[in-house]
Amino acid sequence: MKVLVAVKRVVDYNVKVRAKADGTDVDLNNVKMSINPFCEIAVEEAVRLKEAGIATEVIAVSVGSKSCQEQIRTALALGADRGIQVETEGKVEPLVVAKLLKAVVDKEQPQLVILGKQSIDGDNNQTGQMLGALANMGQGTFASKIVVEGDKVNVIREIDGGLQTVSLNLPAIVTTDLRLNEPRYASLPNIMKAKKKPLDVYTPDDLGVAVTSHITQIKVEAPAERKAGIKVKDVEELVDKLKNEAKIIS
């Protein structure tokens, strides 16, 4: 079984994101970049399927500029067999990413596609669902457990009321939640081996997809800073401040 995993280059989750002074975008100068955490979970799950003898090949694909090859190599170091980059310039919205991934799916014919449920930069939570619609494939979103049985995949997914189990016919699409697994660290030998693993580069034209934008980013600004808390000497002062300063009681 061939498994395709999408990975995205984002600002490392440990970095405090800053907006540019002119408010046009996020400041990425000298900022550490890494694989989106949800995508890292997707890679780990695909590699575990291969280690269990269920998957025969794991392919890591990323859409973006040449710099995203760094994240593809990281996925290769974590256990993926080969990589694919779809080279684009500038920001690419979820619908276009889904169309590009659909073209890669048509080309590679994987039995299972695993994506992170969302990226920590845009937080759109759209690409997996859009890909499912475009590719006409069953999908299990927010997966906390994946079990492949023959020509079906059972997905336990997290919903507001608890857990829901869905059974999907392969080929299928699964988006990962945080509780699915704990990603491993790439060892130095595997990082060195990853440099020799194949990585193919395509353009949208190669895949027959037009990159068009339907969304215009108007402004990026940091959220308002929270005021520091204060200590009060008694209940009467607390009530007075809640009533006259915070105005949350009357």
Side-chain angles (χ1 to χ4, degrees), residues 41-100:
I41 292 169
V43 173
E44 175 66 23
E45 191 65 20
V47 172
R48 290 188 184 188
L49 288 174
K50 184 183 176 186
E51 291 173 342
I54 297 171
T56 55
E57 184 180 29
V58 177
I59 307 166
V61 58
S62 187
V63 176
S65 62
K66 188 175 181 179
S67 57
C68 75
Q69 290 188 13
E70 177 187 353
Q71 280 62 51
I72 297 175
R73 292 293 179 191
T74 300
L76 295 176
L78 291 172
D81 298 294
R82 58 187 175 95
I84 296 175
Q85 180 206 357
V86 182
E87 190 167 1
T88 59
E89 295 299 329
K91 288 189 175 181
V92 186
E93 62 191 53
L95 179 57
V96 176
V97 174
K99 289 180 178 179
L100 293 169

Side-chain angles (χ1 to χ4, degrees), residues 140-216:
T141 56
F142 317 141
S144 60
K145 187 175 181 180
I146 299 172
V147 179
V148 178
E149 295 180 343
D151 60 351
K152 293 183 179 292
V153 56
N154 295 322
V155 178
I156 299 177
R157 56 189 303 269
E158 300 193 4
I159 59 174
D160 290 341
L163 298 175
Q164 178 188 56
T165 302
V166 295
S167 180
L168 310 172
N169 293 322
L170 296 175
I173 295 169
V174 175
T175 69
T176 62
D177 213 332
L178 283 174
R179 279 157 288 280
L180 179 59
N181 61 51
E182 184 175 342
R184 69 193 69 191
Y185 291 100
S187 64
L188 182 58
N190 286 338
I191 292 173
M192 300 305 293
K193 291 177 184 177
K195 295 179 180 180
K196 297 181 179 179
K197 289 184 179 180
L199 196 164
D200 298 321
V201 179
Y202 300 106
T203 65
D205 289 340
D206 294 334
L207 300 173
V209 178
V211 177
T212 56
S213 179
H214 306 86
I215 301 171
T216 301

